[in-house]
Amino acid sequence: MINKQLKLILVSTPIGYIGSGRGGGVELTIISLIKGLILLGHKITLVAPKGSKVPFESENLEIKLIDGIDQPSWQHQKKTDPVLIPSNSVLPRLWEVVIDLAISKESDAVINFAYDWLPLWLTKIQKIKIFHLISMGAESFVMKEIISQIAQLFPLQLAFHTKRQSEDYCLNIDPIIVGNGFDMENYLFNDNQNGPLGWAGRIAPEKGLEDAVKVANNLDEKLLVWGLIEDKEYASKVENNVKKDIIEWKGFLPTNKFQEQLGECRAFINTPKWNEAYGNVIVEAMACGVPVIGYDLGGPGELIQDGLNGFLVEPNDIKAMIKAIKSVSIIKRRNCRDWVEQNASNKVFAQRVENWIKKGLNKNFRTDL
Ligand code: UDP
């Protein structure tokens, strides 16, 4: 098994095609991982909603695009909501293709990136080895229940981005933590210490843009904001609560443009209101050399090394955030980039994922049959 080339099927999120922004951080995670796994010599089939784009080609990459209606995202449903599958949903169609491919290609493993009930449940009834990289905290009871069941039956087939995220679930082994990975070639180091303040993420309540805006308002500075406006009503409410011109909306940009503008910032603000599973934008800012001031909540608390690549402050503590921003010049921008290279490049990420899959394939891990 040590140097064996693995035949892997990667299944993307059914919430939006890769490149739409609707799939959040999962879109970038999957692209970075494909590149990293190919560099390690593995053969990849990507199964993703129609419209998905991968910005490189390889003889070791095959892409299957599937048409259908997007799944609604769990983070905008109530915790008690049941599983919902719309008519003509892309989700079951993705999995019909995946199962056929896994059998016909004799693939070694399937890696699922969808935070959805169906693929988790399929793990119980299918002979193919389905691994799940869980991309959110426990945002719904029915999801928490199925993830906890899989954790009992196939503990080695689940991995999480961060330890804090995994703590939302009932697990019976130490969680497998794989972090995340970024293609360092896509992010240029920028040493400019005098730029503006920046914030990025989906514009939705769980991301807490209102706090970052209050910070900028208090400092009487502009806040550059990148990201997909998921909730228009929320966006206007945030904007109407501060002085005019505090927010400079930059839109949802492709990575090359996003990183170029991000790198100009002197500090990046991260203000989640939920148990953020990871926080891609934090690491992307650091990859450009930008220190991050963030709430010590969920993933950000494991990514921000206080005093090295940014500062951690108590969640919702706007005063502490303002104070931290005032001392951001203490942080060496080069340290931010170095931390990402050492801990979150797509190479180290792919290596961690490879170790996880090999560990899972080596064991007969179904515990109840
Ligand atoms: N993003 C982007 N262009 C933008 C702003 C954001 O491509 O202008 C991407 C960013 O690269 C990141 C994702 O949006 O991968 C947001 O992911 P994150 O993990 O921060 O949060 P999520 O949306 O998954 O909760």
Side-chain angles (χ1 to χ4, degrees):
M1 176 68 82
I2 308 243
N3 286 321
K4 179 182 178 274
Q5 178 187 56
L6 295 174
K7 282 192 267 177
L8 301 170
I9 299 179
L10 271 56
V11 196
S12 191
T13 170
I15 288 173
Y17 62 85
I18 300 174
S20 67
R22 293 194 295 280
V26 174
E27 295 179 22
L28 194 68
T29 300
I30 202 162
I31 296 289
S32 309
L33 183 60
I34 290 173
K35 195 157 182 197
L37 289 171
I38 288 174
L39 284 171
L40 289 176
H42 302 302
K43 227 176 160 52
I44 309 296
T45 304
L46 168 69
V47 185
K50 193 172 162 195
S52 295
K53 289 201 173 58
V54 178
F56 51 84
E57 287 178 8
S58 162
E59 57 181 12
N60 280 331
L61 173 64
E62 183 188 14
I63 302 172
K64 298 271 181 207
L65 298 177
I66 314 299
D67 206 0
I69 301 294
D70 288 351
Q71 272 293 119
S73 162
W74 278 104
Q75 69 250 34
H76 301 133
Q77 293 172 49
K78 290 199 295 292
K79 283 209 166 204
T80 48
D81 277 355
V83 175
L84 191 138
I85 298 187
S87 160
N88 291 320
S89 168
V90 72
L91 177 65
R93 294 189 183 168
L94 285 168
W95 283 89
E96 279 159 24
V97 172
V98 167
I99 290 163
D100 271 359
L101 283 172
I103 295 165
S104 65
K105 286 182 180 291
E106 298 182 338
S107 68
D108 294 293
V110 173
I111 312 180
N112 167 43
F113 293 82
Y115 188 86
D116 267 301
W117 186 86
L118 183 69
L120 286 150
W121 178 78
L122 280 175
T123 315
K124 299 208 285 183
I125 60 153
Q126 277 293 328
K127 285 216 164 19
I128 56 175
K129 300 279 165 60
I130 309 177
F131 292 73
H132 306 269
L133 177 49
I134 304 296
S135 61
M136 286 206 267
E139 289 306 304
S140 107
F141 293 135
V142 67
M143 284 300 292
K144 183 169 178 164
E145 199 176 274
I146 188 77
I147 291 172
S148 302
Q149 277 174 25
I150 299 302
Q152 305 306 310
L153 296 170
F154 310 103
L156 299 179
Q157 281 170 251
L158 287 186
F160 301 86
H161 288 295
T162 57
K163 180 126 191 0
R164 286 186 179 182
Q165 172 208 2
S166 73
E167 284 164 1
D168 268 7
Y169 300 99
C170 309
L171 309 174
N172 63 355
I173 59 164
D174 280 346
I176 297 170
I177 308 297
V178 292
N180 215 333
F182 300 82
D183 188 345
M184 298 308 290
E185 283 174 14
N186 293 342
Y187 301 88
L188 295 180
F189 176 67
N190 184 329
D191 213 10
N192 172 26
Q193 289 203 350
N194 304 310
L197 298 174
W199 185 99
R202 285 176 293 104
I203 318 294
E206 68 272 16
K207 295 293 188 176
L209 173 63
E210 67 273 25
D211 285 14
V213 167
K214 277 185 206 152
V215 168
N217 198 41
N218 209 293
L219 290 166
D220 209 11
E221 281 197 50
K222 256 194 191 320
L223 179 71
L224 273 47
V225 175
W226 295 269
L228 188 81
I229 301 190
E230 228 176 31
D231 186 333
K232 285 205 180 91
E233 206 177 308
Y234 165 75
S236 332
K237 209 164 124 196
V238 170
E239 192 166 31
N240 294 338
N241 271 344
V242 279
K243 280 177 259 175
K244 209 171 162 276
D245 295 337
I246 289 286
I247 303 181
E248 187 173 324
W249 299 106
K250 307 297 284 184
F252 180 78
L253 305 180
T255 303
N256 62 338
K257 288 264 175 302
F258 177 44
Q259 67 85 31
E260 200 179 293
Q261 299 183 6
L262 199 55
E264 289 294 324
C265 292
R266 93 172 177 283
F268 183 84
I269 304 177
N270 188 253
T271 45
K273 298 280 173 183
W274 67 337
N275 185 10
E276 184 80 65
Y278 187 81
N280 282 10
V281 290
I282 293 175
V283 182
E284 293 179 270
M286 290 176 186
C288 302
V290 183
V292 181
I293 324 288
Y295 286 162
D296 191 359
L297 183 73
E302 292 174 34
L303 305 173
I304 302 169
Q305 311 296 304
D306 196 52
L308 177 79
N309 55 17
F311 294 115
L312 280 172
V313 302
E314 281 302 309
N316 310 317
D317 192 342
I318 293 181
K319 276 196 189 137
M321 185 153 275
I322 293 170
K323 196 167 159 221
I325 289 173
K326 286 184 177 159
S327 39
V328 78
S329 59
I330 301 171
I331 306 289
K332 289 198 178 63
R333 291 175 74 97
R334 178 52 70 181
N335 286 348
C336 302
R337 168 95 185 177
D338 287 351
W339 186 88
V340 183
E341 254 161 23
Q342 285 153 23
N343 299 281
S345 72
N346 62 342
K347 295 194 182 91
V348 295
F349 177 46
Q351 191 59 63
R352 287 191 292 253
V353 170
E354 184 195 273
N355 294 346
W356 163 44
I357 303 296
K358 286 188 169 172
K359 195 170 163 190
L361 292 175
N362 271 336
K363 298 263 186 313
N364 185 9
F365 30 74
R366 170 113 204 199
T367 53
D368 75 336
L369 286 180

